[in-house]
Amino acid sequence: MTRPTAARPAAGPAPAAGPAPAAGPAAPVVELRPHPDPTPAARRRALLAEPPFGEVFTDHMVTARWTPDDGWHRAVLEPFAPLRMSPAAVGLHYGQSVFEGFKAYRRGEDRAVVFRPADHGRRLAASARRMAVPPLPVDLFTAATEALVRADLDWILEGDDRSLYLRPVVFADEPHLALRPARSYLFLLLAFPTGNFFTGGQRAVTVAVSEEYVRAAPGGTGAAKCGGNYAGSYLAQEEAARRGADQVVWLDAVERRHVEELGGMNLFFVHGEGDRAELVTPPLTGTILPGVTRDTLITLARDRGLRVSEAPVSLADWREGCARGRITEVFACGTAARVTSVGKVLTGDGEWTVGEGVPGPVARRLSALLAAVHRGEEPDPYHWCHVVDRSAPGGPTGRGRG
């Protein structure tokens, strides 16, 4: 029996032959050179029991190079090992270096999620441009992240306070001491397991206002994540610690009266309580790092019906707002510490308590909500969680935008 066929349109002139569609750019490839003798499971479990922040590193790292002729190239996953470089490397002498910090979370035996990697890649590129460093392409940044997380997935423990901290850094390694941007750069991606950034778990910290030093000035590098911003904070942090504080509060460099950041974290001030609470955070004016966690919390808070505004907050407003009960909570946020409440503020002429001196309900709610997104217990409509699956080596592993 003859099978019926679909009706065909009347024949017309054959379409003119044209050039084949141009192929898109090839996806970045990370060459895999896995460690021949990775850390034994028993030793790894012992290291993961209570890892000090930033001291225990995983088995692998990813490197890539930049030269004027080849751009960014030669991306390799290889064993974590010391570097060989010239003592005259530009990055050592003039600080031409930028870095990032973001995390991966375990989602079962063979899967992890990386939180907003593309956004961290874009911020690394923005920091690089400010420091006259060639920006690393975001797709290469993401491919390096996938390769490292997949290779070292067993270093990630499950749990609310457990994660793999990822540290990319780009620095100038050309050996010259002339005052000009380098012509050779190295990208490194390292990882280390971590628990709570602040000892004692979820508690409200004491902060001390720095009235002598500033973190960043208008037109400077405050919006870039570069090493000098952090080394320049050590002295103020040490002085704050001697006063019994956990972190230092930075004021603006011009008037010395507006609050900008807490250590290396963004700040939020809570006005009011309950469903009528409003969050206020200092605006991004070029002297404050545009935190990815800050942006995440703004979005989550607004989605839950909370009002959020970006407006300057003076130190006097902070003190008076707490005294009159207008400011009920203050918390900081960042990749390392997630959401950290402020309980007490120290200044040169006194001190005051924020709210009851303990983590408040808004901070606790947002912290729990963020953790639930990391664990996959809350919807992820913005595709922040980038999935890395051990069963798909070399293939596409994420569908999120980062």
Side-chain angles (χ1 to χ4, degrees):
M1 187 168 77
T2 305
R3 180 174 300 171
T5 59
R8 296 180 180 177
V29 175
V30 179
E31 181 183 349
L32 304 180
R33 299 179 187 171
H35 201 302
D37 187 24
T39 304
R43 172 62 176 160
R44 188 176 61 247
R45 284 194 296 269
L47 291 171
L48 287 171
E50 290 294 337
F53 187 86
E55 294 184 23
V56 176
F57 296 93
T58 65
D59 289 315
H60 297 91
M61 62 184 184
V62 178
T63 63
R65 305 202 67 87
W66 185 92
T67 60
D69 291 338
D70 298 316
W72 283 107
H73 66 287
R74 203 190 310 163
V76 180
L77 173 94
E78 55 191 318
F80 181 92
L83 302 175
R84 292 179 61 90
M85 58 188 295
S86 169
V90 176
L92 290 177
H93 294 264
Y94 300 137
Q96 201 184 9
S97 173
V98 294
F99 69 99
E100 264 300 321
F102 60 117
K103 286 182 175 180
Y105 301 86
R106 195 71 179 253
R107 289 268 190 96
E109 183 177 357
D110 293 315
R111 177 171 291 186
V113 298
V114 186
F115 194 66
R116 302 185 66 169
D119 290 310
H120 284 280
R122 283 187 278 270
R123 190 171 69 175
L124 182 71
S127 297
R129 284 188 284 269
R130 176 61 184 87
M131 303 298 288
V133 173
L136 187 82
V138 173
D139 57 352
L140 177 56
F141 181 95
T142 304
T145 299
E146 291 182 353
L148 184 59
V149 171
R150 186 179 294 114
D152 288 338
L153 196 140
D154 286 334
W155 285 86
I156 315 175
L157 290 181
E158 291 193 75
D160 181 43
D161 61 346
R162 298 291 184 145
S163 60
L164 189 69
Y165 190 102
L166 296 149
R167 168 49 54 85
V169 59
V170 181
F171 65 93
D173 66 347
E174 182 188 2
H176 83 81
L177 297 181
L179 287 174
R180 61 159 174 80
R183 294 169 184 153
S184 174
Y185 297 85
L186 181 65
F187 165 75
L188 298 172
L189 177 61
L190 322 175
F192 58 86
T194 182
N196 284 321
F197 181 75
F198 290 108
T199 58
Q202 295 297 315
R203 62 182 179 88
V205 298
T206 297
V207 301
V209 177
S210 177
E211 295 167 281
E212 181 178 359
Y213 307 106
V214 295
R215 175 187 173 273
T221 59
K225 202 167 178 68
C226 58
N229 288 351
Y230 293 78
S233 72
Y234 288 166
L235 185 58
Q237 179 61 41
E238 288 180 351
E239 293 182 2
R242 286 196 291 269
R243 297 167 62 187
D246 300 282
Q247 286 284 305
V248 60
V249 176
W250 297 111
L251 302 178
D252 74 283
V254 178
E255 298 182 70
R256 303 290 184 95
R257 75 185 185 94
H258 287 104
V259 179
E260 295 209 324
E261 291 193 13
L262 176 65
M265 296 174 281
N266 296 116
L267 275 167
F268 283 85
F269 299 82
V270 181
H271 293 248
E273 298 177 335
D275 293 337
R276 297 178 62 85
E278 178 182 3
L279 277 63
V280 179
T281 187
L284 302 178
T285 58
T287 57
I288 295 176
L289 186 72
V292 174
T293 307
R294 173 188 183 273
D295 178 74
T296 302
L297 293 183
I298 289 173
T299 301
L300 292 176
R302 286 174 173 163
D303 285 351
R304 268 65 185 180
L306 295 173
R307 293 177 297 160
V308 184
S309 61
E310 299 180 63
V313 178
S314 72
L315 189 62
D317 290 340
W318 186 356
R319 186 197 301 259
E320 183 181 358
C322 289
R324 295 180 177 273
R326 292 198 306 268
I327 294 178
T328 54
E329 297 179 48
V330 176
F331 61 86
C333 67
T335 294
R338 199 164 71 197
V339 178
T340 300
S341 293
V342 176
K344 181 185 290 187
V345 185
L346 310 178
T347 67
D349 60 355
E351 62 182 56
W352 69 89
T353 300
V354 179
E356 299 297 323
V358 297
V362 174
R364 293 198 306 269
R365 178 186 178 190
L366 290 176
S367 180
L369 182 58
L370 181 56
V373 173
H374 294 159
R375 294 192 302 265
E377 297 169 359
E378 280 284 336
D380 181 21
Y382 301 102
H383 308 292
W384 286 331
C385 294
H386 186 94
V387 177
V388 177
D389 195 324
R390 179 155 44 198
S391 66
T397 57
R399 293 295 180 266
R401 68 179 182 187

